[in-house]
Amino acid sequence: MDPEAKAQGSSGTRANIAAADEALLASLGYKQEFRREFSGLEVFGIAFSIIGLLPSIASVLADSIPNGGASAMVWGWVVASFFILIVGMAMAELASAAPTSGGLYFWTHSLSSPRWRNLLAWIVGYANTIGSIASVASIDWGCAVQVMAAANIGSPNQTFAATSGETYGVYAAILLSHAFICCFGTRVLARLQTVYVVLNVLLCLAVIIALPAATPKEYRNTASYALGNFTNLNGWTNGYAFILSFLAPLWTICSFDSSVHISEEASNAATAVPWAIVYAIGIAGVLGWAINVALAFCMGTDLEAIVASPQPMAQIFFNSFGQKGTLALWAFVVLVQYMMGSSMVLAASRQSFAFARDGALPFSGWLYRMNGITGTPVNTVWFVCGASALLGLLAFAGTQAINAIFTLSIVALYVAYAIPIAARYLGDNDFAPGPFNLGRFSAPVAFVAVAWMTFMGIVFLFPTTPTTDTADMNYTIVVLGGVLVLSLVWYYFPKYGGVHWFTGPVATVEKTAANSRRGSLDTDDRAHEKLDAGVSERSV
């Protein structure tokens, strides 16, 4: 074929895909405001880079080691990964049918029965918002801890011990830098995702191969220990301790709704977004299991010493690679964790932008603004980073308080994930599947996903140990409960509350017959249409 004709054909294909994306978005009630710069690989990249794997496992290794030791790391990962994939597939179906940045709360509103749709969409929107902000906070806090672990390893005789104030200072600096990065144009952020994926995979493979080769004999474990040892250090019964070890895989393979929140920036979104979710979870499950197996075989048997160290994985590396080798490898761990944070800020800012577009967040008129130079929602980037900085202040309340941001990110997001998945079957709707469809397996997959998330959401509200006090309590219920209670107070507030004006997603394009898939706007209710238009004007 003539090169020029081939180029024209390729250009025509891209134009057709772009036109189809824009038409689908219009059928959901929204005009195209973002540039669609994310390819399928880059959509996968943002989900996979947020998962992070090795640095993520490093951030929560202190939760799996004391709750079962080696066998919890290895087999707990297998069990949890299976159910996480079930959740991902249920979400992927919804993402394929309605690929919009609002994602979870948009689906909730469109799939729920008319009596409950506004309230449920409101709850899901706030749960998704605080969950996304908690994900940013937990990732960047993990990065700050890793930086301080490097300082500890590099100090003479490992004598340096960071204070909460010093760690928070590093954390704040990381957040600030992420805010600047995510203010750039969409094209820059999209291109970075491929770099993130490559570095992430190379780091995983390097550890899987190099750790067993470098570990001295005294730290090598037998197969019976690595695959069968159960060490319970926290005091819960063995069965419950094993379940608590699921925090590691659940936090690591979480926030995969990030792909959904860049739907309006993705090319061929109805196909690219759902497959990005499934591939990211599947690959992370396999590679993460291999990493945990390598760690179980190479961490020795003195688990109490590992847990008591400033950073458990850094201590395992130090035992195997020595000071210089650990610092060299740890630099890449910190770098990948840092990249995770920037991707999470990007996704969280898009979710907040979408929620503000519908007037539901405080100061929505300010948050729902697209920067004329970068073509990105700069205000919501700063909103997410500012809220994360406030959440990080839990560090001054104690170790357990700041660790609550890890469970908070899971529980809040599981609330936001479970409601729209359940609404598809329990609500009054005419759901039309997209290109990604599980067929007859859709209902059982959704049932298992909702049951799993409900169970784990309750589990992660309990404290780390059965005997606890104020300093060691689980602050997840305090933060999440506080946010949801305040959101409900605002919703039902006399005269000014959301119950008087919030009608769910606000259309930004004129509704036509092509919009029939979007049943959530009550097309027969003319009064609601006028109210929607008024809220839209206030938001802009």
Side-chain angles (χ1 to χ4, degrees):
M1 179 182 290
D2 179 68
E4 185 175 347
K6 185 176 180 180
Q8 291 177 350
S10 177
S11 177
T13 301
R14 288 196 297 269
N16 291 337
I17 292 174
D21 283 327
E22 186 171 349
L24 176 56
L25 187 62
S27 76
L28 300 174
Y30 293 127
K31 65 181 177 180
Q32 186 70 51
E33 296 182 270
F34 291 95
R35 300 186 183 96
R36 291 191 180 268
E37 300 284 2
F38 281 78
S39 67
L41 175 62
E42 290 160 347
V43 175
F44 160 78
I46 193 167
F48 191 72
S49 65
I50 287 173
I51 288 172
L53 275 185
L54 186 72
S56 290
I57 294 172
S59 295
V60 287
L61 195 59
D63 293 289
S64 55
I65 289 179
N67 286 304
S71 61
M73 293 165 59
V74 174
W75 304 118
W77 186 277
V78 173
V79 174
S81 294
F82 170 78
F83 286 104
I84 295 168
L85 183 59
I86 293 293
V87 174
M89 289 192 294
M91 181 186 291
E93 281 199 300
L94 300 181
S96 182
T100 174
S101 296
L104 304 166
Y105 82 90
F106 179 95
W107 305 334
T108 300
H109 195 272
S110 64
L111 298 173
S112 299
S113 299
R115 181 180 179 183
W116 302 105
R117 60 177 47 153
N118 291 342
L119 175 60
L120 290 177
W122 183 276
I123 292 172
V124 168
Y126 273 94
N128 198 190
T129 299
I130 188 61
S132 298
I133 290 171
S135 293
V136 171
S138 57
I139 291 171
D140 281 3
W141 182 260
C143 188
V145 170
Q146 290 166 5
V147 170
M148 290 312 194
N152 171 264
I153 293 170
S155 64
N157 299 317
Q158 292 76 56
T159 54
F160 173 77
T163 65
S164 296
E166 290 169 336
T167 306
Y168 184 84
V170 174
Y171 168 74
I174 292 170
L175 275 175
L176 184 62
S177 65
H178 282 158
F180 280 111
I181 290 173
C182 290
C183 288
F184 290 137
T186 302
R187 177 170 295 184
V188 176
L189 298 170
R191 299 300 91 84
L192 284 173
Q193 301 309 315
T194 302
V195 177
Y196 293 178
V197 170
V198 172
L199 282 176
N200 213 330
V201 173
L202 289 178
L203 180 60
C204 292
L205 294 177
V207 170
I208 292 170
I209 296 170
L211 186 61
T215 302
K217 280 187 177 182
E218 60 266 30
Y219 292 109
R220 292 181 186 174
N221 294 325
T222 63
S224 61
Y225 182 91
L227 304 179
N229 166 261
F230 195 93
T231 300
N232 185 352
L233 301 178
N234 283 342
W236 289 107
T237 61
N238 287 349
Y240 195 70
F242 183 71
I243 294 172
L244 287 176
S245 74
F246 293 168
L247 173 65
L250 263 66
W251 184 80
T252 299
I253 314 177
C254 195
S255 298
F256 39 81
D257 61 307
S258 56
S259 295
V260 175
H261 299 312
I262 61 164
S263 293
E264 296 175 32
E265 298 167 79
S267 178
N268 195 20
T271 299
V273 172
W275 280 111
I277 293 172
V278 173
Y279 280 139
I281 295 173
I283 294 173
V286 174
L287 279 178
W289 181 78
I291 291 170
N292 276 284
V293 169
L295 292 171
F297 272 94
C298 302
M299 65 183 182
T301 58
D302 190 356
L303 302 187
E304 292 188 15
I306 293 174
V307 173
S309 65
Q311 218 295 335
M313 185 176 284
Q315 186 62 48
I316 294 172
F317 285 178
F318 183 82
N319 294 340
S320 298
F321 298 113
Q323 185 184 55
K324 292 183 179 180
T326 299
L327 287 174
L329 182 61
W330 201 249
F332 288 97
V333 173
V334 174
L335 176 62
V336 173
Q337 180 92 355
Y338 181 85
M339 292 174 173
M340 286 170 57
S342 67
S343 295
M344 191 63 234
V345 171
L346 171 66
S349 68
R350 274 31 175 189
Q351 188 278 332
S352 297
F353 174 83
F355 206 32
R357 176 170 58 190
D358 298 322
L361 285 175
F363 311 108
S364 287
W366 178 76
L367 291 173
Y368 177 44
R369 290 182 184 177
M370 193 72 74
N371 186 274
I373 298 175
T374 65
T376 57
V378 170
N379 290 355
T380 54
V381 170
W382 288 102
F383 163 73
V384 166
C385 290
S388 299
L390 293 176
L391 201 55
L393 293 175
L394 285 170
F396 297 101
T399 302
Q400 293 302 322
I402 189 61
N403 285 344
I405 61 176
F406 291 89
T407 52
L408 173 63
S409 64
I410 298 172
V411 177
L413 288 179
Y414 272 14
V415 170
Y417 293 177
I419 292 177
I421 293 173
R424 174 182 170 184
Y425 296 95
L426 300 179
D428 180 14
N429 61 75
D430 55 351
F431 178 78
F436 183 95
N437 181 21
L438 298 176
R440 62 181 180 179
F441 295 105
S442 295
V445 164
F447 175 80
V448 173
V450 173
W452 166 259
M453 289 186 286
T454 301
F455 175 67
M456 294 311 303
I458 295 172
V459 166
F460 287 149
L461 296 180
F462 283 81
T464 304
T465 61
T467 54
T468 188
D469 53 24
T470 303
D472 292 330
M473 68 172 283
N474 188 335
Y475 283 78
T476 299
I477 188 64
V478 176
V479 179
L480 178 59
V483 170
L484 292 183
V485 167
L486 288 175
S487 72
L488 289 175
V489 168
W490 186 28
Y491 185 78
Y492 286 109
F493 199 79
K495 189 176 179 179
Y496 299 105
V499 69
H500 301 291
W501 52 264
F502 180 72
T503 57
V506 179
T508 57
V509 295
E510 183 178 355
K511 289 183 287 185
T512 66
N515 297 62
S516 59
R517 290 179 65 185
R518 190 180 178 204
S520 65
L521 289 181
D522 298 327
T523 54
D524 294 330
D525 191 339
R526 300 301 178 186
H528 278 197
E529 287 184 0
K530 293 178 181 179
L531 187 56
D532 282 354
V535 174
S536 180
E537 290 174 3
R538 290 200 305 274
S539 299
V540 176

